[in-house]
Amino acid sequence: MHLSLNALENRAIAAGLAGIPSHVLAGDRLSTEQCLAMYQTDDVPLLGVLANEMRNRRHGDTTFYNVNTHVNYTNWCNQFCDFCAFQRRPGDDGAYCMSPEQVEQELRNANPEATEVHMVAGVWPALGYEYFLDILRAAKRGRPNIHIKAFTMVEIDLIVKLAKKPLPDVMAELREAGLDSMPGGGAEVFSERVRAELYPKKMSSKRWIELAHQVHGEGFRTNATMLYGMIETLEERVDHLNKLREIQDVTAGFQTYIPLAFHPKNTKLEHLPFASPMERLRAIAIGRLFLDNFAHIKAYWVMLGLPVAQMALNFGANDIDGTVSQEKVYHDAGAATPQALSRAGLHQLIREAGRDPVERNTLYQALPTPESELAV
Ligand code: V47
């Protein structure tokens, strides 16, 4: 599609976004002031047009997905974050902690075509350092060739403390046990004001950022997230994105950015609304436009819902996550999405958005299209 810069700039003036189309189309980096204006504008469709253009320039119609499974190995947690519906104390109704043998069995039972397991959980120090090595080894025993994407920075912080060893030694031992890369959770929103109010026990944003630098320095690729839609201001969202962009300028270790809309059900913040479809699309578009040093923007369908995830593929996203199964963090918080999608279901969702589905591995290498999908 040919975009007329004049027409876009005229529309941008009315939307409080003057100059942004010219910057974007020239490939120039947007400022934090411009990012704030993008959060304030009513013209989300204009953001979509611009973000879509940037997505098309990088990826054309290619839309990545993977075949993956989730193992939330325990919901025991001592952090008591107000936004979380997943956490339990041992003995509470529904509390569980998987033994390494159970983790191994989960992997044996998983979709035989899965190339990735996403393993994250609560924070429970009494599990001890060896437990974390054991569950990684158990996952690889259950499925030797699977890529293990495990442990947010919050879990890494715990594991390093339990190990009582320097971080490089711990990361080497985790790698030896089977850790391949890390997901993007645990960042929440970096604002210390929000942290003090809603998740005061969680490690500081400074520590999250320091760990991101360190694990990238040890050669691990990770993802990045922002949990939005609680009590944070728009300025605090901008600051969060800016901090992610600054880390990436130094390390280039993030693979994808995943905005996570807050799901209120069964949490202490149940009175808050779930972000509207328009706000969820805005978050995707701003991610694509502001994070110019991120290769990929993920529309995590489990959180977005299928219709919005599909639209997000024309608002800047080029990845829709995976087939997913056994996901608990969002489903405990009221996500109404299915527990899993088949590969054919993902292909259909992506094709209906006018895009080309491409299966990837966790490190964004394209995999051959399976025969079952060639004829479609
Ligand atoms: O860290 C917890 C968030 C994260 C709620 O890296 C909530 O590929 C909304 O990080 N409402 C975990 N969000 C999930 C996550 C993730 C998901 C998919 C893919 C990847 C990846 C990472 O979920 C937590 C927290 O920020 N979260 N509770 C809630 N009620």
Side-chain angles (χ1 to χ4, degrees), residues 1-140:
M1 185 177 64
H2 175 71
L3 297 180
S4 151
L5 185 54
N6 271 348
L8 289 174
E9 273 300 350
N10 284 337
R11 182 167 159 187
I13 292 167
L17 300 172
I20 290 183
S22 315
H23 263 80
V24 168
L25 297 184
D28 291 339
R29 173 164 280 200
L30 296 178
S31 67
T32 50
E33 290 74 21
Q34 288 171 318
C35 190
L36 184 61
M38 295 194 289
Y39 270 117
Q40 288 167 332
T41 186
D42 289 336
D43 200 347
V44 176
L46 176 57
L47 299 180
V49 169
L50 297 173
N52 195 42
E53 172 67 13
M54 298 320 279
R55 174 241 204 267
N56 289 344
R57 285 186 190 179
R58 281 172 186 261
H59 302 287
D61 280 330
T62 295
T63 296
F64 288 115
Y65 72 94
N66 71 352
V67 180
N68 65 347
T69 188
H70 283 227
V71 173
N72 299 124
Y73 52 89
T74 184
N75 57 5
W76 294 355
C77 194
N78 66 7
Q79 303 276 289
F80 309 113
C81 303
D82 284 0
F83 60 77
C84 183
F86 174 68
Q87 64 190 316
R88 299 281 187 285
R89 291 172 211 241
D92 283 355
D93 239 19
Y96 70 91
C97 180
M98 292 182 190
S99 65
E101 293 69 29
Q102 284 170 314
V103 170
E104 180 177 342
Q105 199 52 47
E106 286 280 311
L107 268 291
R108 287 191 195 284
N109 296 343
N111 179 348
E113 294 180 15
T115 60
E116 170 192 288
V117 57
H118 175 135
M119 293 212 308
V120 295
V123 171
W124 200 256
L127 291 173
Y129 177 48
E130 282 299 322
Y131 172 82
F132 295 94
L133 299 173
D134 285 346
I135 58 172
L136 292 170
R137 294 186 193 112
K140 286 276 171 164

Side-chain angles (χ1 to χ4, degrees), residues 68 70 83-86 116 118 120 149 152 154 182-189 202 222-228 256 258 260-265 267 274 298 300 303 319 321 327 329-330 332-334 360 364:
N68 65 347
H70 283 227
F83 60 77
C84 183
F86 174 68
E116 170 192 288
H118 175 135
V120 295
K149 180 183 78 176
T152 66
V154 179
M182 294 158 57
E188 325 316 356
V189 65
K202 187 156 267 180
T222 78
N223 295 332
T225 57
M226 174 170 71
L227 172 58
Y228 66 94
T256 183
I258 315 149
L260 301 169
F262 173 56
H263 273 263
K265 205 164 163 207
T267 74
F274 181 45
K298 186 186 282 191
Y300 182 42
M303 176 275 283
D319 180 16
D321 201 71
E327 194 285 330
V329 177
Y330 281 88
D332 283 358
R360 61 165 175 85
Y364 284 86

Side-chain angles (χ1 to χ4, degrees), residues 25 27-28 48 98 153 189 245 268 275 295 314 320 330 367 374:
L25 297 184
D28 291 339
M98 292 182 190
M153 299 303 170
V189 65
R245 194 169 73 171
K268 292 201 180 114
N314 289 294
I320 197 153
Y330 281 88
L367 301 177
L374 281 173

Side-chain angles (χ1 to χ4, degrees), residues 124-353:
W124 200 256
L127 291 173
Y129 177 48
E130 282 299 322
Y131 172 82
F132 295 94
L133 299 173
D134 285 346
I135 58 172
L136 292 170
R137 294 186 193 112
K140 286 276 171 164
R141 269 199 310 279
R143 188 66 66 78
N145 296 326
I146 209 155
H147 178 113
I148 303 184
K149 180 183 78 176
F151 307 142
T152 66
M153 299 303 170
V154 179
E155 288 155 288
I156 292 293
D157 185 51
L158 168 71
I159 294 169
V160 170
K161 279 189 190 130
L162 292 174
K164 299 195 177 72
K165 293 179 191 176
L167 178 131
D169 296 357
V170 176
M171 295 314 294
E173 288 178 3
L174 292 172
R175 180 181 275 127
E176 175 70 25
L179 182 66
D180 293 302
S181 71
M182 294 158 57
E188 325 316 356
V189 65
F190 287 145
S191 157
E192 289 304 331
R193 180 191 71 82
V194 177
R195 295 182 103 78
E197 200 160 324
L198 302 185
Y199 35 100
K201 287 189 185 295
K202 187 156 267 180
M203 70 191 197
S204 66
S205 54
K206 193 162 158 270
R207 179 69 177 146
W208 194 98
I209 292 166
E210 178 181 276
L211 283 172
H213 280 279
Q214 290 178 359
V215 302
H216 291 170
E218 295 305 313
F220 283 91
R221 306 306 300 274
T222 78
N223 295 332
T225 57
M226 174 170 71
L227 172 58
Y228 66 94
M230 301 182 294
I231 57 161
E232 77 287 351
T233 63
L234 299 183
E235 286 80 0
E236 286 165 337
R237 290 186 199 175
V238 173
D239 179 63
H240 184 101
L241 290 179
N242 195 40
K243 289 193 162 105
L244 292 180
R245 194 169 73 171
E246 285 172 355
I247 301 168
Q248 183 75 333
D249 275 342
V250 176
T251 71
F254 292 126
Q255 302 204 97
T256 183
Y257 166 64
I258 315 149
L260 301 169
F262 173 56
H263 273 263
K265 205 164 163 207
N266 303 325
T267 74
K268 292 201 180 114
L269 303 171
E270 217 162 18
H271 56 284
L272 294 176
F274 181 45
S276 68
M278 207 56 132
E279 285 310 311
R280 283 175 263 160
L281 291 173
R282 182 199 299 271
I284 294 281
I286 292 180
R288 179 61 287 156
L289 291 168
F290 188 71
L291 298 176
D292 57 347
N293 52 6
F294 277 64
H296 307 286
I297 303 294
K298 186 186 282 191
Y300 182 42
W301 64 262
V302 173
M303 176 275 283
L304 287 175
L306 295 175
V308 176
Q310 193 177 46
M311 285 189 277
L313 301 182
N314 289 294
F315 271 74
N318 66 296
D319 180 16
I320 197 153
D321 201 71
T323 49
V324 180
S325 73
Q326 308 297 337
E327 194 285 330
K328 295 192 172 62
V329 177
Y330 281 88
H331 288 96
D332 283 358
T337 41
Q339 268 291 346
L341 278 183
S342 63
R343 183 192 266 122
L346 280 177
H347 273 239
Q348 187 186 347
L349 194 78
I350 295 167
R351 284 225 170 86
E352 283 173 359

